[in-house]
Amino acid sequence: MTRALTTQWRNLAFSGLILHEILDHPLEDETPQARLKQVGMMTVLYSMNQAHQKLTLSNIMEITALTRSGVKETVDLLVKRGMLDETIVKNSMGRGTARQFEISEALLEKLSSFGAG
Protein backbone atom coordinates (compact mmCIF):
# COMPACT_ATOMS: atom_id res chain seq x y z
CA MET A 1 0.00 0.00 0.00
CA THR A 2 1.30 3.46 -0.77
CA ARG A 3 2.55 5.65 2.06
CA ALA A 4 -0.10 8.32 1.33
CA LEU A 5 -2.90 5.76 1.56
CA THR A 6 -1.45 4.31 4.77
CA THR A 7 -1.36 7.82 6.27
CA GLN A 8 -4.98 8.41 5.25
CA TRP A 9 -6.08 5.14 6.87
CA ARG A 10 -4.18 5.97 10.04
CA ASN A 11 -5.79 9.44 10.18
CA LEU A 12 -9.27 7.97 9.68
CA ALA A 13 -8.65 5.32 12.31
CA PHE A 14 -7.44 7.97 14.76
CA SER A 15 -10.53 10.13 14.13
CA GLY A 16 -12.84 7.19 14.68
CA LEU A 17 -11.00 6.16 17.81
CA ILE A 18 -11.14 9.58 19.45
CA LEU A 19 -14.82 9.96 18.56
CA HIS A 20 -15.53 6.62 20.22
CA GLU A 21 -13.37 7.28 23.28
CA ILE A 22 -14.78 10.76 23.96
CA LEU A 23 -18.41 10.56 22.87
CA ASP A 24 -19.12 7.04 24.14
CA HIS A 25 -17.42 7.54 27.52
CA PRO A 26 -18.54 10.89 28.96
CA LEU A 27 -16.95 12.07 32.18
CA GLU A 28 -19.19 12.89 35.13
CA ASP A 29 -20.81 16.36 34.83
CA GLU A 30 -19.30 16.85 31.36
CA THR A 31 -21.30 18.80 28.79
CA PRO A 32 -21.73 17.77 25.16
CA GLN A 33 -19.92 21.01 24.24
CA ALA A 34 -16.90 19.99 26.33
CA ARG A 35 -16.78 16.59 24.60
CA LEU A 36 -16.94 18.24 21.18
CA LYS A 37 -14.10 20.60 22.13
CA GLN A 38 -12.03 17.58 23.16
CA VAL A 39 -12.60 15.88 19.80
CA GLY A 40 -11.49 19.04 18.01
CA MET A 41 -8.49 19.47 20.29
CA MET A 42 -7.33 15.88 19.78
CA THR A 43 -7.56 16.40 16.02
CA VAL A 44 -5.33 19.47 16.29
CA LEU A 45 -2.90 17.73 18.64
CA TYR A 46 -2.63 14.70 16.36
CA SER A 47 -1.85 16.97 13.40
CA MET A 48 0.77 18.81 15.46
CA ASN A 49 2.25 15.50 16.55
CA GLN A 50 2.44 14.28 12.93
CA ALA A 51 4.26 17.53 12.04
CA HIS A 52 6.74 16.92 14.92
CA GLN A 53 5.63 20.05 16.79
CA LYS A 54 5.93 20.12 20.57
CA LEU A 55 2.57 19.89 22.30
CA THR A 56 2.92 22.76 24.78
CA LEU A 57 0.22 25.17 25.90
CA SER A 58 1.96 28.02 24.06
CA ASN A 59 2.24 26.10 20.78
CA ILE A 60 -1.38 24.94 21.02
CA MET A 61 -2.51 28.52 21.72
CA GLU A 62 -0.60 29.76 18.69
CA ILE A 63 -2.21 27.23 16.36
CA THR A 64 -5.77 27.37 17.73
CA ALA A 65 -5.94 31.08 18.66
CA LEU A 66 -7.56 30.01 21.93
CA THR A 67 -6.73 31.64 25.25
CA ARG A 68 -4.41 29.87 27.69
CA SER A 69 -7.36 29.05 29.95
CA GLY A 70 -9.36 27.74 26.98
CA VAL A 71 -6.53 25.42 25.94
CA LYS A 72 -5.80 24.39 29.53
CA GLU A 73 -9.43 23.52 30.25
CA THR A 74 -9.72 21.16 27.28
CA VAL A 75 -6.24 19.67 27.56
CA ASP A 76 -6.76 18.96 31.28
CA LEU A 77 -9.86 16.91 30.43
CA LEU A 78 -7.86 14.93 27.86
CA VAL A 79 -5.18 14.24 30.49
CA LYS A 80 -7.92 13.16 32.93
CA ARG A 81 -9.28 10.77 30.27
CA GLY A 82 -5.80 9.28 29.80
CA MET A 83 -5.63 10.35 26.16
CA LEU A 84 -2.68 12.69 26.82
CA ASP A 85 0.34 12.28 29.06
CA GLU A 86 1.77 15.39 30.69
CA THR A 87 5.36 16.16 31.64
CA ILE A 88 6.95 19.26 33.08
CA VAL A 89 9.86 20.57 31.00
CA LYS A 90 11.97 23.73 30.88
CA ASN A 91 10.23 26.52 29.03
CA SER A 92 11.57 27.89 25.76
CA MET A 93 13.51 30.56 27.66
CA GLY A 94 15.19 27.86 29.76
CA ARG A 95 14.38 29.59 33.04
CA GLY A 96 10.97 28.31 34.08
CA THR A 97 8.82 25.29 33.51
CA ALA A 98 6.22 24.44 30.93
CA ARG A 99 3.69 21.68 30.53
CA GLN A 100 4.34 19.43 27.55
CA PHE A 101 1.97 16.75 26.36
CA GLU A 102 2.15 13.56 24.35
CA ILE A 103 -0.59 11.39 22.95
CA SER A 104 -0.76 8.54 25.44
CA GLU A 105 0.87 5.24 24.65
CA ALA A 106 -2.40 3.49 25.60
CA LEU A 107 -4.28 5.45 22.93
CA LEU A 108 -1.59 4.75 20.33
CA GLU A 109 -1.76 1.03 21.19
CA LYS A 110 -5.52 1.10 20.60
CA LEU A 111 -4.85 2.78 17.26
CA SER A 112 -2.37 0.07 16.35
CA SER A 113 -4.96 -2.60 17.15
CA PHE A 114 -6.98 -1.26 14.19
CA GLY A 115 -4.13 -2.38 11.94
CA ALA A 116 -3.42 1.25 11.16
CA GLY A 117 -0.09 1.74 12.68
Side-chain angles (χ1 to χ4, degrees), residues 42-110:
M42 281 303 295
T43 302
V44 169
L45 297 178
Y46 184 72
S47 295
M48 289 175 68
N49 185 63
Q50 294 301 100
H52 306 288
Q53 294 176 300
K54 289 184 179 179
L55 306 182
T56 63
L57 292 177
S58 295
N59 288 350
I60 298 165
M61 288 169 49
E62 186 177 322
I63 288 175
T64 63
L66 291 170
T67 63
R68 180 171 290 278
S69 62
V71 170
K72 185 182 176 307
E73 176 185 321
T74 303
V75 167
D76 285 347
L77 289 171
L78 294 168
V79 170
K80 182 176 180 180
R81 282 184 178 282
M83 296 179 87
L84 292 178
D85 294 327
E86 176 183 7
T87 54
I88 303 298
V89 297
K90 286 198 180 287
N91 68 16
S92 60
M93 304 293 279
R95 288 180 267 165
T97 59
R99 297 169 67 192
Q100 186 168 317
F101 306 92
E102 292 181 23
I103 296 173
S104 75
E105 197 60 41
L107 190 64
L108 294 175
E109 284 177 18
K110 286 182 183 182

Side-chain angles (χ1 to χ4, degrees), residues 10-21:
R10 186 172 173 85
N11 291 343
L12 284 170
F14 187 81
S15 294
L17 177 61
I18 61 170
L19 281 170
H20 168 72
E21 291 293 318

